[in-house]
Amino acid sequence: MLSDVSLGEYISVPRFYAGADVFLTGGTGFMGKVLIEKLLRSCPDVGRIFVLMRSKRGKTPQTRVQDLTNNPLFEKLKRLNPSALSKLVPMYGDCMQLRLGMSLEDIQRLRNVSVVFHLAASVRFDDPLKDAILTNVLSTRELFELCLGMKALRAVVHVSTAYSNPEQTQVDERLYPAKADWRKMLDCALKFDTQILDILTDKVTDFAPNTYTFSKGLAEQVCRDYESQLPLVIFRPSIVVNTIEEPLVGWIDNLNGPSGMLLGAGTGIVRTDLMPTGNRANTIPADISIKALLLAAWRRGTTKHTPSQNHLPVYNSAVEHEHSWQFDKMIDCGKANMTKLCFSRLLWVPGGSTTTWRVKYYLMVLLLHILPAMLVDTLCWVCGKRPFLMKIQRKVFLAQASLRYFVYHQWNFETERFRSLRNGLQGDDIAAFSWHLTEERIDQFYYDCWMGVRRYLLNDPDESLPQANRKMRRLKLADRVVKAIFYALLAYWLWKSALLQSFETQLVRLGNR
């Protein structure tokens, strides 16, 4: 085990980051945004924050920085310390390229960086193996090579995933043996095209549910090979969800995980899923995970390590079993909120159910997803509008399939080292960086997550609730009418079929006479 020894006097978290230049990959992602905001707000004397980003859709990195900070997440920071945003320095690059696609001039600008956070990753489960390896493995190696030239470096935090070793149901805070040689896999990704690697995917990833967990496991092995050269930390978040407290309650900006489920069910699009409702999902609020991420770098940079075999701290950023989300409770909470806190954009009245019987599931998909989508798209086509619902339902089906492994399996995560990050805090650091979860907060969090989806994903202001409720009442009436007509037609068809059969029977009897 790793043995940590304090360097002496207590160094507060803001003091550790004061004047320190920070380099960040994945800064435009969900966790990256929360990290930037928290670092600027709680460590106001931090040096420059270099953010690696690509030009996207014709936008330069400078424009993307402006777009990033226009997010509601930064409103509190703009009120308290608007000048802090000037510390953001965009750096053009691409994590799928050698040297991260950076120019030599920009690399020279990073020589005085003290702390590095590597959050960039492809989180899509269905990525081709080549893309997953280039994004998650090549970027890690290239970043570490750049870090070797940073003379003031004090901490490098590699953000992995709690599911990087999915075959382990008990996940400890340590590195596990390699399942493949990361160097050979990276060579294959660089040499061969996508089609060839696709043929090999099932063979080389047979222990992993998808290319994401496989490639993230490989990236951890890259850390093992560089641990003696860099002050490395591996940080493994579980399922990162809405913020629980700061800077906004319930903030979210992606459809990954539970937020996508809530949005689909709340708009009436998703009406069934194959799910054992007694299982649990280990979810961690984004702001808690980011607090711990900043503390992991602080701990690494203010602690000296005694000689031992393991110099690589691993943190499982997960919650205890009793604080994880149970599917049936999440569903019940969703149903309670769907009608009283309904969305403004509704396709139909929310409803439906889950099942563990595959035959029933596929039948429900046909009746509740596919056939209504075909009907709506046909009406759109007749009216001269662009069909859309069948495309959405196809994405829903594929998303449910990609998550099924995680829905049907459960893991127990060791979190002793992760929880210990808050134990040594003193003074103002306790209020700014510590956290505490209780059953009451978790219950409230279900409600806050629903409101977060409404506010930040659908951009529904709270003032729109009365109008949304009126729309819901109209849809409920329409739903009852449609169901009444359907059951009436079904009864009529059965009655007519019975009459026809009776008439045919009478004819047969008359013929026999």
Side-chain angles (χ1 to χ4, degrees):
M1 291 297 293
L2 183 71
S3 178
D4 296 345
V5 179
S6 174
L7 291 178
E9 66 168 318
Y10 179 80
I11 300 175
S12 70
V13 180
R15 180 182 167 190
F16 169 74
Y17 286 102
D21 285 348
V22 176
F23 180 48
L24 176 69
T25 69
T28 58
F30 174 44
M31 291 187 69
K33 293 187 183 79
V34 183
L35 174 60
I36 291 171
E37 194 280 337
K38 178 63 175 177
L39 188 56
L40 290 174
R41 179 165 50 85
S42 296
C43 302
D45 295 324
V46 67
R48 295 168 296 177
I49 301 179
F50 297 100
V51 184
L52 185 72
M53 53 180 64
R54 292 180 295 179
S55 293
K56 189 175 182 180
R57 297 176 183 174
K59 295 182 179 181
T60 64
Q62 289 79 5
T63 304
R64 294 193 65 192
V65 165
Q66 294 177 358
D67 292 342
L68 183 152
T69 56
N70 285 335
N71 193 289
L73 182 74
F74 290 87
E75 289 178 356
K76 183 175 182 179
L77 176 64
K78 290 178 179 178
R79 292 196 305 269
L80 299 176
N81 186 15
S83 62
L85 297 176
S86 63
K87 296 184 177 184
L88 292 178
V89 182
M91 307 287 282
Y92 177 79
D94 187 342
C95 284
M96 296 180 70
Q97 297 181 18
L98 298 175
R99 287 191 329 212
L100 300 182
M102 299 176 65
S103 67
L104 292 176
E105 180 183 355
D106 281 346
I107 292 175
Q108 288 297 318
R109 298 174 69 190
L110 300 178
R111 290 184 63 84
N112 293 322
V113 163
S114 298
V115 181
V116 173
F117 294 102
H118 182 37
L119 288 86
S122 170
V123 297
R124 291 185 294 272
F125 291 165
D126 57 351
D127 259 352
L129 181 60
K130 180 182 178 73
D131 292 350
I133 292 176
L134 291 180
T135 306
N136 297 334
V137 182
L138 176 65
S139 67
T140 303
R141 186 196 69 177
E142 295 302 294
L143 175 65
F144 291 171
E145 287 293 322
L146 294 181
C147 288
L148 293 176
M150 299 176 185
K151 304 306 180 183
L153 196 62
R154 302 174 69 184
V156 180
V157 184
H158 170 74
V159 179
S160 183
T161 172
Y163 304 95
S164 57
N165 301 279
E167 75 284 356
Q168 302 287 339
T169 55
Q170 170 63 41
V171 182
D172 297 329
E173 293 178 298
R174 64 180 178 89
L175 273 177
Y176 285 89
K179 288 88 177 176
D181 188 322
W182 71 265
R183 297 180 186 276
K184 292 181 179 179
M185 292 305 304
L186 182 54
D187 285 342
C188 290
L190 291 170
K191 292 177 181 177
F192 301 130
D193 59 26
T194 301
Q195 289 73 22
I196 292 177
L197 284 177
D198 284 346
I199 297 173
L200 301 175
T201 298
D202 290 340
K203 179 66 176 178
V204 299
T205 65
D206 58 349
F207 61 87
N210 50 57
T211 59
Y212 170 68
T213 59
F214 174 72
S215 59
K216 294 298 283 186
L218 291 179
E220 288 195 0
Q221 301 307 319
V222 182
C223 297
R224 184 194 295 274
D225 283 2
Y226 282 84
E227 66 172 314
S228 62
Q229 305 172 67
L230 296 171
L232 273 166
V233 172
I234 292 179
F235 190 83
R236 295 175 178 156
S238 59
I239 304 170
V240 184
V241 294
N242 310 56
T243 55
I244 193 172
E245 185 175 23
E246 59 172 294
L248 294 170
V249 174
W251 182 82
I252 187 77
D253 80 337
N254 65 54
L255 295 174
N256 298 330
S259 59
M261 296 170 57
L262 291 176
L263 179 61
T267 54
I269 294 175
V270 178
R271 312 190 73 81
T272 186
D273 197 0
L274 194 62
M275 176 185 294
T277 55
N279 281 5
R280 291 175 175 263
N282 195 293
T283 59
I284 182 114
D287 47 339
I288 289 181
S289 196
I290 290 303
K291 286 179 181 179
L293 184 63
L294 291 169
L295 292 179
W298 165 75
R299 174 74 62 84
R300 188 67 173 88
T302 58
T303 305
K304 68 178 181 180
H305 303 276
T306 59
S308 64
Q309 291 183 342
N310 180 8
H311 297 273
L312 182 55
V314 178
Y315 298 93
N316 288 338
S317 177
V319 297
E320 296 79 12
H321 178 77
E322 62 271 18
H323 293 151
S324 58
W325 282 12
Q326 192 165 348
F327 290 130
D328 56 1
K329 188 174 182 179
M330 184 172 65
I331 292 171
D332 290 342
C333 180
K335 288 181 178 179
N337 291 325
M338 283 177 187
T339 54
K340 65 180 181 181
L341 300 170
C342 48
F343 301 151
S344 294
R345 283 172 278 182
L346 293 170
L347 183 68
W348 200 249
V349 177
S353 62
T354 61
T355 181
T356 56
W357 186 24
R358 289 184 178 272
V359 174
K360 181 181 178 182
Y361 167 70
Y362 289 118
L363 180 62
M364 292 172 69
V365 167
L366 175 64
L367 296 177
L368 301 179
H369 287 182
I370 297 177
L371 292 180
M374 293 175 63
L375 175 61
V376 170
D377 282 357
T378 300
L379 292 175
C380 288
W381 180 76
V382 170
C383 297
K385 297 182 178 180
R386 186 177 181 180
F388 69 97
L389 191 52
M390 196 65 191
K391 183 178 180 180
I392 293 177
Q393 292 294 6
R394 187 181 299 111
K395 291 182 178 180
V396 168
F397 183 81
L398 293 175
Q400 290 180 342
S402 68
L403 292 172
R404 194 145 297 136
Y405 180 89
F406 301 94
V407 170
Y408 269 81
H409 292 78
Q410 296 189 90
W411 291 264
N412 183 43
F413 300 103
E414 178 192 4
T415 58
E416 181 179 356
R417 188 190 292 272
F418 169 72
R419 288 182 284 110
S420 73
L421 286 170
R422 63 190 178 189
N423 295 341
L425 296 176
Q426 300 179 19
D428 294 338
D429 286 350
I430 297 175
F433 293 97
S434 189
W435 66 90
H436 183 62
L437 290 173
T438 63
E439 289 299 321
E440 293 75 18
R441 291 196 73 184
I442 293 299
D443 290 341
Q444 177 65 33
F445 192 40
Y446 283 109
Y447 170 85
D448 293 335
C449 286
W450 179 270
M451 291 301 293
V453 169
R454 193 181 193 280
R455 291 166 178 159
Y456 305 114
L457 288 183
L458 288 176
N459 296 317
D460 271 355
D462 293 355
E463 294 77 16
S464 67
L465 271 172
Q467 181 181 358
N469 288 333
R470 289 193 294 270
K471 183 176 181 179
M472 174 66 78
R473 287 193 291 270
R474 292 195 297 268
L475 280 178
K476 281 184 176 181
L477 177 60
D479 184 65
R480 294 191 187 99
V481 171
V482 170
K483 287 180 178 178
I485 293 174
F486 172 78
Y487 288 122
L489 291 174
L490 180 62
Y492 174 75
W493 177 78
L494 293 173
W495 174 73
K496 189 174 181 181
S497 297
L499 284 181
L500 182 60
Q501 186 177 7
S502 176
F503 180 68
E504 289 176 346
T505 301
Q506 293 295 333
L507 289 179
V508 171
R509 289 177 179 175
L510 290 173
N512 291 335
R513 291 179 183 176

